[in-house]
Amino acid sequence: MKLRAGVRDRLSTVRFVTDDESHIEVNQEVAKATGAAAILVAVCPAKVYSIRPDGSVGCEFAACLECGTCLAVAPEGSLTWHYPRGGFGVEYRQG
Amino acid sequence: MSGQDSYDFDVAVVGAGPAGSVAAHQLAGAGHDVVLIERGSEPGSKNLSGGVLYGRALEAVFPDYLDDAPVERRITRNVVTFLNRGSRVAIDYSDDRLADPTNAVTVLRAKLDPWLAGRAEEAGAMLMPGVRVDAPLLDGSSRVIGVKAGEDELRTRVVVAADGVNSFLARAAGFRPAPEPHQLAVGVKAVVDLPAATIEERFGVAPGLGAAHAIVGDCTLGIGGGGFLYTNRESLSLGVVLRLDDLVKRGLESTEVFEHFLAHPGVAPFLEGGEVSEYGCHLVAEGGQAMMGRLAVDGMVLVGDAAGLTINSGLTVRGMDLAVGSGSVAATVVHDALEAGDTSLAALGRYEQALRDSWVGQDMATYAKAPAFLEEPRMYDGYGTLLADVLHGVFDLDTRPRRRLWRTALDTVRHSPLRTRDLVSDVWKGVRSL
Ligand SMILES: Cc1cc2nc3c(=O)[nH]c(=O)nc-3n(C[C@H](O)[C@H](O)[C@H](O)COP(=O)(O)OP(=O)(O)OC[C@H]3O[C@@H](n4cnc5c(N)ncnc54)[C@H](O)[C@@H]3O)c2cc1C
Ligand code: SF4
């Protein structure tokens, strides 16, 4: 059954047109000072964020589903986020 | 003001969701020069919803929508389930009257939105897909005089911001603050494919008809919000809606809550044998009337989710109908303003009153207290269990003498961790807010 295969497998059902420039930027210093990493990792339904071995925030922007959740809860100054350029990013076929 | 020739269009509508496409359709139909700008390479490609469209508002704009638009099933069965760890209590409401006239249909946005935008194009609007608007174009006195997209500037008499829940247009010039986490929820969704006959059998509906299940309680691990399970023609739309303040406070992962929902014994049997054909997520505006704020500024009006127009009553999530309604009301006011040659705040500001007077504004007012009521954690933990305990007292016939229902209920309340005072107060608040 394809239902419980986890986020990675589920993300493979989504079509993306990947831009070469990222639409997400983490301010590592602010993130470190505010503990943003744990929040970002937990809230994102696409598992875009990770904590790197050195404690900094990893960000795999290409998997972003563009919901805006991370931006809404990120500690002030830790994240710059905008929509990808027109025509790039997620392309739902059902929605 | 500059002369007529210096405008590229009369109106720029930003965002081809239901709010934007309806506004564009109405304005183009009234003879105005309208551009409909959408950042997705096709309308709908960025959009996702649970998918129950309360269709009367759309029917007022497109009387033939039921025959012509890509709708999935007509909803005639509504089920509200309190899902607890080992028990569930449901209210199951089916009614033939919901089919005639059709009250609600399920839709998939990647299919519905292109149809809506197509209707706007037929009325004469120019669709410009694959273009992200970066900010409103302002003149020296902070009047909106168009939009900026990359290097390009488009000059227009009026901008209609229909750019959804994250509305960067409204935020850009400080017209509206960014919403607070308690005013937002994230919806995590999957579409699960199943044969039509299987759906009809499992959900107890006839061909063409459908069911909408709203689920609260353990399915979100107690996080404020709920689950939904809706029937499409040959798939289910299902997922969880999680209030952001509560999600962060509890430190749970949104994906973990979603997994829990899929695997929940109250949900899993409906999905058995199905395959996820698409996964996705999107924010829901949950703030209700308190989130609305300013709806018009000099040269620009806000419609749909960009204006915070969503109602979550706990039983229904509504936004698409309010988007359609507000797009339509805004179009009337913008039309009058264009005709009168005055698109200043004085003229466009009439939209706020017009919206308040419309069914959209009236419904927002009716449900104004719902968000605060639904922020009460007891909704997601205590009450489902309490209901199950009362019913357990009624149905668990273990040869001890039965007592009347009200005694059983009173005893259950007395022994539950919920305080009678809270219960009475919540019931009272519920009656007044829903
Ligand atoms: C999980 C979930 C379940 C829901 N369930 C229901 C339900 O069952 N029933 C219901 O009625 N409502 C439901 N809603 C709410 C409903 O989806 C919204 O209220 C509705 O889509 C709002 O319509 P809109 O046109 O205002 O905005 P949207 O549909 O969000 O459209 C905004 C459009 O603007 C575009 N855009 C955004 N920014 C830019 C930019 N800068 N430049 C160009 N284009 C831009 C976007 O790509 C998008 O096409 C649900 C929402 C979610 C997330
Ligand atoms: S916008 Fe949504 S999907 Fe994209 S990184 Fe943020 S939380 Fe994840």
Side-chain angles (χ1 to χ4, degrees):
Chain A
M1 186 164 73
K2 275 251 174 106
L3 281 179
R4 292 185 216 163
V7 187
R8 293 282 155 214
D9 205 26
R10 254 174 240 134
L11 277 173
S12 71
T13 61
V14 187
R15 182 154 75 194
F16 292 97
V17 180
T18 305
D19 200 349
D20 45 15
E21 60 184 60
S22 175
H23 62 289
I24 308 174
E25 219 177 285
V26 180
N27 181 322
Q28 298 290 355
E29 262 166 48
V30 179
K32 197 167 176 192
T34 54
I39 299 175
L40 296 174
V41 169
V43 296
C44 175
K47 287 269 162 269
V48 162
Y49 300 100
S50 57
I51 302 182
R52 298 202 191 101
D54 66 354
S56 66
V57 184
C59 170
E60 205 185 298
F61 78 92
C64 174
L65 297 166
E66 301 164 33
C67 64
T69 301
C70 53
L71 177 68
V73 300
E76 183 140 11
S78 61
L79 197 68
T80 311
W81 188 101
H82 52 75
Y83 287 128
R85 287 190 292 167
F88 288 101
V90 66
E91 276 191 359
Y92 289 124
R93 282 162 296 171
Q94 314 226 41
Chain B
M1 265 182 29
S2 3
Q4 188 155 355
D5 295 346
S6 61
Y7 293 104
D8 299 305
F9 292 90
D10 293 328
V11 185
V13 178
V14 181
S21 286
V22 165
H25 173 269
Q26 302 296 76
L27 284 164
H32 303 290
D33 230 358
V34 178
V35 61
L36 175 59
I37 311 174
E38 166 57 45
R39 70 186 184 90
S41 58
E42 212 196 320
S45 63
K46 300 292 184 184
N47 301 342
L48 172 161
S49 84
V52 175
L53 168 68
Y54 297 89
R56 300 294 182 75
L58 196 60
E59 199 165 21
V61 183
F62 305 113
D64 64 341
Y65 95 96
L66 275 173
D67 300 319
D68 203 43
V71 301
E72 297 287 322
R73 284 174 185 266
R74 304 182 187 208
I75 299 300
T76 51
R77 184 169 187 182
N78 291 278
V79 183
V80 180
T81 305
F82 289 89
L83 210 49
N84 312 315
R85 240 141 270 151
S87 61
R88 54 188 288 263
V89 179
I91 299 168
D92 186 342
Y93 167 60
S94 315
D95 199 325
D96 295 343
R97 286 175 298 178
L98 293 176
D100 189 22
T102 296
N103 172 62
V105 293
T106 37
V107 295
L108 290 163
R109 297 292 300 278
K111 298 175 183 169
L112 178 73
D113 292 13
W115 181 85
L116 284 169
R119 279 303 184 85
E121 280 186 285
E122 278 166 28
M126 183 184 150
L127 176 66
M128 209 185 261
V131 175
R132 180 191 68 194
V133 168
D134 295 318
L137 184 64
L138 304 177
D139 71 4
S141 52
S142 289
R143 177 189 159 78
V144 177
I145 52 164
V147 294
K148 283 194 278 197
E151 303 293 292
D152 297 323
E153 292 184 355
L154 272 182
R155 291 180 166 261
T156 62
R157 293 170 199 275
V158 180
V159 172
V160 177
D163 54 340
V165 59
N166 287 313
S167 185
F168 290 103
L169 237 59
R171 275 185 230 178
F175 294 141
R176 281 164 68 93
E180 299 285 330
H182 75 93
Q183 295 177 320
L184 295 169
V186 59
V188 187
K189 174 182 173 179
V191 176
V192 171
D193 289 350
L194 277 174
T198 309
I199 292 173
E200 284 145 20
E201 189 188 310
R202 278 184 199 170
F203 287 83
V205 291
L209 302 183
H213 289 230
I215 308 164
V216 289
D218 184 48
C219 69
T220 58
L221 291 165
I223 293 176
F228 60 91
L229 179 55
Y230 302 151
T231 55
N232 302 315
R233 230 175 257 268
E234 296 191 300
S235 65
L236 306 175
S237 284
L238 56 105
V240 290
V241 174
L242 309 169
R243 230 180 48 237
L244 295 190
D245 59 327
D246 217 18
L247 177 64
V248 171
K249 195 170 81 194
R250 300 196 187 214
L252 291 169
E253 302 200 350
S254 60
T255 49
E256 172 188 345
V257 183
F258 183 72
E259 300 284 341
H260 175 77
F261 177 73
L262 287 188
H264 200 287
V267 175
F270 287 109
L271 319 181
E272 189 64 42
E275 283 205 5
V276 173
S277 65
E278 192 170 78
Y279 176 73
C281 62
H282 199 282
L283 283 181
V284 189
E286 292 249 310
Q289 202 179 30
M291 192 174 164
M292 278 170 59
R294 281 170 89 184
L295 303 183
V297 296
D298 218 355
M300 182 165 90
V301 293
L302 279 63
V303 293
D305 272 10
L309 298 172
T310 308
I311 294 172
N312 183 351
S313 70
L315 307 182
T316 57
V317 181
R318 291 171 48 193
M320 290 186 280
D321 57 332
L322 303 167
V324 167
S326 61
S328 199
V329 172
T332 311
V333 175
V334 170
H335 169 71
D336 290 346
L338 288 169
E339 293 290 291
D342 175 11
T343 54
S344 67
L345 178 58
L348 294 181
R350 292 196 193 110
Y351 165 54
E352 296 199 356
Q353 187 60 44
L355 193 76
R356 259 198 298 277
D357 293 342
S358 73
W359 62 269
V360 175
Q362 289 173 18
D363 279 7
M364 291 300 289
T366 302
Y367 290 102
K369 295 199 178 90
F373 175 65
L374 294 171
E375 274 177 38
E376 177 50 61
R378 288 186 288 274
M379 294 304 139
Y380 308 101
D381 240 346
Y383 286 127
T385 320
L386 180 69
L387 280 171
D389 288 349
V390 171
L391 291 168
H392 184 251
V394 174
F395 288 100
D396 179 37
L397 300 176
D398 56 2
T399 74
R400 283 182 297 175
R402 290 296 98 183
R403 287 167 311 164
R404 293 196 185 284
L405 180 61
W406 68 269
R407 277 243 58 101
T408 313
L410 276 181
D411 267 10
T412 313
V413 170
R414 203 168 298 138
H415 289 112
S416 96
L418 300 168
R419 293 179 307 175
T420 313
R421 176 153 42 96
D422 291 334
L423 181 70
V424 172
S425 132
D426 287 345
V427 168
W428 174 239
K429 278 192 245 162
V431 168
R432 293 186 351 136
S433 33
L434 300 184

